[in-house]
Amino acid sequence: MAGVRSFFLFAAIALLFAGRYGDATAAARGYIKYKDPKAAVEERVEDLLTRMTLPEKLGQMCQVDRFNFSYPNPSIGQEIFTKYMIGSVLSNPYDTGASIAKRVELANTMQKLSLSTRLGIPLLYAIDAVHGHNTFINATIFPHNIGLGATRDPELVKKIGAITALEVRATGIAQAFAPCVAVCRDPRWGRCYESYSEDPKLVNLMTESIMDGLQGNAPYVADFKTKLAGCAKHFVGDGGTIDGINENNTVVDNATLFNVHMPPFELAVKKGIASIMASYSSLNGVKMHANRAMLTDYLKDTLKFQGFVISDWLGIDKITTPPRANYTYSIEASINAGIDMVMVPWEYKEFLEKLTDLVNGGYIPMSRIDDAVRRVLRVKFSLGLFENPFAEGSSLATEFGSEEHREVAREAVRKSMVLLKNGKTDNDKIVPLPKKVKKIVVAGAHANNMGWQCGGFTLTWQGFNGTGENISRNKAMNLPTGKTRGTTILEGIMKTVDATTEVVYVEEPNQNTAKLHADAAYTIVVVGEAPYAESQGDSTTLNMAAPGPDTISHTCASGMKCVVVLVTGRPLMIEAYIDFIDAVAVAWLPGTEGQGVADVLFGDHPFTGTLPRTWMKSVVQLPMNVGDSAYDPLFPFGFGITN
C-alpha cells in the first residue's frame, strides 16, 4: 500500500511538473526544450521565459560594470550573479586588462557563477570596441570611423570588423558597443570622429560592411567563436543636435529624420543587428531614452527590430534634469518607452528594487517585461552562449594584435589619408617626398605621441598621452600616461627614409628653428587635436590644439619648405595658414599604425582618400553639409588630390 501511495505521489508531482513546463512524457524524460540546441530559437526563448520568476527576468534587464565583481576574489561580488541574477556585465573604458589569459579567466569565472543559478542562463559580457579592441593594451587599433569613411573601401572595413570581433572574442567578450552609425552634421560635436560621414549614403555603405565583419552576414551572429553581437548606436539623431552640443536636442522635420539620420539604423535592422543603443540626446524635445514613439512604435513595431534596446551609461538617469532627480520615474519612463536592458552600471540593487515595485504596482505591465527579456534571450541563444558559454581565448590569442592584423590597420591608415594641397602652384608639387636627402626636420608633438594619434576611446575613455615606448605626462591635458604596441608617425618616417638621411625631431619649434635647420630639404609638421571623447570634445572654435599654430608659424611661415599632417577627428580652422604651407594632408586619428602615414607621404602608396565631410572656411558657416543651398567650403565633400 505504501508503494502504491508512493507511485501516485510521484505521478502527481510529474503531472504538476508537466502542466507547468511541458507535456508529461517530456517531463518524465527530463527533456527541457530551452536546453535543446536542435529546437528553434523562438521555441527555446518561450520555453525558458515561462520558467522564469520575476527576479530572474529583471536580472536579465540589468547590465552592471564588471568592477562590481572584485576579481580575482570571487567571494566578493559574486552575489551579482548568484543572488541578483544579473544577465550582463560590461568593461568600462578604463578596464585595460593585464593579459589575455587573465581576462579570459575573469570572463569564465563570472560565467560559471551565472551558470550555477537555477536556470543556468549564461552571462553576456560587453565592451566598447569602436576602432578595434581599443580598451585592451596591445590590441590592433584602427583609424576612427571618420578615417574609415575617407577610405570609401567597404571590403577593407569588413576586414576591420572581422579583426575587431576576433580580438574582442580572444579576451572572452561576446558583445561590442559598435558600430556607431551616427550621421554627424556638425563637426563642433565632440563625437564627430565616431561618425563615418555627414552623408547617410556613405554611412550606410560603411555600416553594412562593418556589420558583416563584426557579426557575419547573418541575423545576430554568424559564427559565435570569431564573431560577436554588435550594437548600432546611438538611436536616433545624435549627430544632428543644435550647435553640435553633445547630448543636446535634435530639432528636425520628418524628412530630415528619415532621410538623414534613420537610414543607417534601418539598414542595421535589416542586417540583423543584435542590439541598438539609445541616444543621450533628445529628438524634438523628447529624451530618446523615454521616447516610446521612436523606440517601440517605429523601431520595434514598424521596422520589426528583433534584438534588444540597451540604454547608454547612466542613460536613464539623464531623463530628468538634474540626473536622478526622480529615479523611479526614470525607470518607469524608460522601460515603458522600450528600453530592454539598462546599463546601470553601479546601483543595481536600487534599480532592481524600484523596478520590482513598479511591476508589482502595475506601473510597468508584465507584457513589457516579457518583451524585454524575450529580446535579450533571443540574442543569447543566437550567440550560441547556451551551448558555448565559456571563452576559448587561447585558440585566438596568437592572432591578437598580430602582424597580419596590423598590416590591415596600416592599409586603412594610408587609404584614409586625404591630400588637400600639393604645392603652392601646379608646377612645384612636393609630395611624394624624396627619401634620400641630406637632412629633414619632423616638427610637432603629434609626430611622436601614440596616444594623440589614436585619439579618444583608446585605453581610457578620454584617450591617453604616450610617446612610443617613452612615456611622458602633459599635466595641462590631465590625461593618463600609457603605452600600447604600435608605430608613431615619427617612427614610421624614420623607418622609411634612406639610411643616409638625417632626421631631426623638434617637438616644439621656436623662432630659431628655421634658421638652425636652414639646410633641411623639407619639414614634416605634425599638428592637430589633443585626445577627447564625448562632451569633452565639443568645440565652438575648431582651432587646432596649442602649440600647433606656433609650430606652423616657426616652420612653414618662416621659410621652411613644409608638409603639414593634421592629426584630427574633424575639420579644423586652417584657412589662415593654407597660403604659406606647401602641402597639407589629413591623417585623421590613424590609430597604432603610424607607418601608414609615411607610406603615402613618401610615395610607396598613392593618396586615394577623399573627404568624408565638408571642410568649412569658418565655424560661422556651421552646420554646412553637402547639398545645402548655401555651400561655400574651403574643401568640398569628396575632395582629395590623388597621385
Side-chain angles (χ1 to χ4, degrees):
M1 192 68 179
V4 173
R5 285 197 301 268
S6 298
F7 171 81
F8 280 107
L9 179 61
F10 173 82
I13 294 173
L15 286 170
L16 178 63
F17 183 88
R20 187 177 181 184
Y21 299 130
D23 63 88
T25 304
R29 291 199 307 264
Y31 177 77
I32 301 175
K33 181 171 285 187
Y34 82 85
K35 293 185 177 182
D36 181 0
K38 295 180 181 179
V41 167
E42 293 304 312
E43 293 180 358
R44 299 177 75 184
V45 168
E46 294 305 318
D47 180 69
L48 178 52
L49 191 63
T50 61
R51 302 169 187 269
M52 297 174 72
T53 64
L54 181 60
E56 288 168 333
K57 290 178 180 180
L58 301 189
Q60 293 299 306
M61 298 173 64
C62 185
Q63 184 180 74
V64 303
D65 193 292
R66 79 96 177 162
F67 279 124
N68 287 285
F69 177 70
S70 298
Y71 183 81
N73 185 352
S75 64
I76 301 175
Q78 67 179 3
E79 68 173 12
I80 295 169
F81 312 106
T82 58
K83 179 179 179 181
Y84 294 97
M85 295 164 286
I86 301 297
S88 182
V89 299
L90 79 153
S91 279
N92 67 51
Y94 295 92
D95 191 5
T96 57
S99 70
I100 292 176
K102 287 186 177 180
R103 180 52 58 88
V104 168
E105 183 183 356
L106 163 66
N108 287 340
T109 299
M110 293 190 295
Q111 192 66 276
K112 288 176 183 176
L113 290 168
S114 292
L115 296 176
S116 71
T117 58
R118 183 179 73 92
L119 295 173
I121 302 174
L123 178 74
L124 179 62
Y125 190 1
I127 198 167
D128 267 314
V130 296
H131 61 137
H133 195 2
N134 48 266
T135 301
F136 210 86
I137 291 173
N138 295 330
T140 309
I141 305 300
F142 297 94
H144 268 293
N145 284 354
I146 191 170
L148 299 186
T151 72
R152 287 170 167 78
D153 188 336
E155 284 302 312
L156 173 62
V157 171
K158 180 179 178 180
K159 289 180 185 177
I160 290 170
I163 291 170
T164 300
L166 190 150
E167 294 199 8
V168 170
R169 277 296 207 179
T171 58
I173 300 170
Q175 182 183 29
F177 298 132
C180 178
V181 301
V183 182
C184 175
R185 303 291 282 180
D186 192 327
R188 291 174 291 184
W189 185 36
R191 307 193 75 157
C192 204
Y193 64 75
E194 296 182 61
S195 170
Y196 295 109
S197 176
E198 69 190 39
D199 178 14
K201 295 186 182 68
L202 182 52
V203 175
N204 269 13
L205 180 67
M206 299 293 102
T207 297
E208 183 169 17
S209 299
I210 199 77
M211 277 191 60
D212 284 345
L214 287 170
Q215 288 195 177
N217 191 19
Y220 308 120
V221 66
D223 178 358
F224 52 77
K225 291 185 178 180
T226 60
K227 303 296 183 183
L228 45 71
C231 180
K233 62 185 187 181
H234 307 84
F235 188 81
V236 59
D238 56 337
T241 57
I242 296 172
D243 296 332
I245 299 172
N246 191 44
E247 303 182 16
N248 201 1
N249 189 23
T250 296
V251 179
V252 291
D253 56 20
N254 280 345
T256 303
L257 175 62
F258 291 105
N259 293 331
V260 175
H261 297 289
M262 193 65 75
F265 289 100
E266 293 174 340
L267 175 63
V269 171
K270 290 178 182 177
K271 294 281 292 181
I273 192 73
S275 62
I276 289 178
M277 185 180 292
S279 176
Y280 286 125
S281 59
S282 300
L283 180 62
N284 295 325
V286 180
K287 287 280 190 179
M288 279 307 307
H289 277 75
N291 196 327
R292 179 179 173 85
M294 286 288 103
L295 295 176
T296 295
D297 297 345
Y298 189 74
L299 180 60
K300 294 180 178 180
D301 294 346
T302 300
L303 295 185
K304 306 301 181 185
F305 173 56
Q306 298 299 302
F308 65 87
V309 177
I310 187 170
S311 81
D312 208 330
W313 177 279
L314 296 174
I316 72 168
D317 301 46
K318 297 184 179 184
I319 289 174
T320 59
T321 304
R324 288 184 70 90
N326 186 337
Y327 193 46
T328 299
Y329 166 76
S330 293
I331 295 172
E332 178 187 357
S334 61
I335 301 301
N336 280 333
I339 299 291
D340 302 310
M341 182 184 289
V342 176
M343 196 184 298
V344 175
W346 304 108
E347 303 298 332
Y348 59 92
K349 294 178 184 179
E350 180 186 5
F351 169 77
L352 290 173
E353 180 182 349
K354 291 183 181 300
L355 180 56
T356 300
D357 290 343
L358 286 166
V359 175
N360 288 336
Y363 297 99
I364 298 176
M366 185 58 68
S367 59
R368 173 75 271 273
I369 299 300
D370 286 346
D371 173 65
V373 177
R374 183 179 289 113
R375 291 170 178 276
V376 174
L377 295 178
R378 182 180 292 133
V379 170
K380 289 186 175 185
F381 277 115
S382 299
L383 269 171
L385 288 177
F386 281 80
E387 284 68 57
N388 297 275
F390 296 112
E392 299 178 5
S394 59
S395 62
L396 303 175
T398 56
E399 298 183 69
F400 184 91
S402 67
E403 289 304 318
E404 181 181 357
H405 289 181
R406 293 180 185 279
E407 279 300 313
V408 175
R410 180 176 171 180
E411 178 186 357
V413 173
R414 58 178 178 252
K415 286 185 174 180
S416 70
M417 293 280 290
V418 179
L419 187 61
L420 298 180
K421 181 179 180 180
N422 190 13
K424 293 179 179 178
T425 69
D426 291 338
N427 298 321
D428 64 350
K429 293 180 179 179
I430 185 173
V431 175
L433 299 169
K435 297 179 182 179
K436 188 173 183 179
V437 294
K438 179 182 177 181
K439 175 182 176 180
I440 68 172
V441 172
V442 179
H446 284 77
N448 197 34
N449 194 307
M450 180 67 68
W452 291 10
Q453 74 185 45
C454 287
F457 287 103
T458 312
L459 296 192
T460 75
W461 176 37
Q462 294 294 322
F464 72 101
N465 180 29
T467 308
E469 293 300 312
N470 301 311
I471 308 306
S472 63
R473 171 170 287 278
N474 185 331
K475 293 182 180 179
M477 286 175 57
N478 196 31
L479 284 174
T481 59
K483 62 181 179 180
T484 192
R485 185 175 166 226
T487 303
T488 66
I489 294 171
L490 174 63
E491 290 167 343
I493 292 169
M494 295 179 71
K495 291 177 182 178
T496 302
V497 298
D498 189 83
T500 62
T501 299
E502 180 187 5
V503 179
V504 177
Y505 175 52
V506 183
E507 182 174 346
E508 190 170 339
N510 56 38
Q511 60 270 26
N512 298 317
T513 300
K515 183 177 180 180
L516 184 63
H517 299 291
D519 59 337
Y522 53 83
T523 300
I524 301 173
V525 179
V526 190
V527 292
E529 295 188 291
Y532 57 81
E534 302 188 36
S535 297
Q536 283 81 340
D538 287 352
S539 173
T540 58
T541 64
L542 294 180
N543 291 328
M544 68 179 69
D550 287 340
T551 298
I552 293 175
S553 296
H554 293 318
T555 52
C556 307
S558 298
M560 301 181 77
K561 182 180 286 189
C562 74
V563 177
V564 171
V565 177
L566 296 172
V567 176
T568 177
R570 55 195 164 187
L572 297 175
M573 294 298 300
I574 62 171
E575 188 178 24
Y577 317 109
I578 200 75
D579 287 342
F580 49 79
I581 295 172
D582 293 281
V584 181
V586 189
W588 308 111
L589 299 172
T592 53
E593 305 315 302
Q595 183 69 52
V597 175
D599 287 343
V600 291
L601 288 179
F602 292 95
D604 291 332
H605 293 270
F607 275 93
T608 58
T610 55
L611 288 179
R613 60 177 315 102
T614 299
W615 203 290
M616 70 286 154
K617 294 177 180 177
S618 168
V619 292
V620 176
Q621 297 175 295
L622 300 175
M624 177 176 62
N625 296 282
V626 63
D628 288 355
S629 56
Y631 192 69
D632 183 29
L634 184 63
F635 299 103
F637 173 85
F639 179 82
I641 300 170
T642 57
N643 63 344

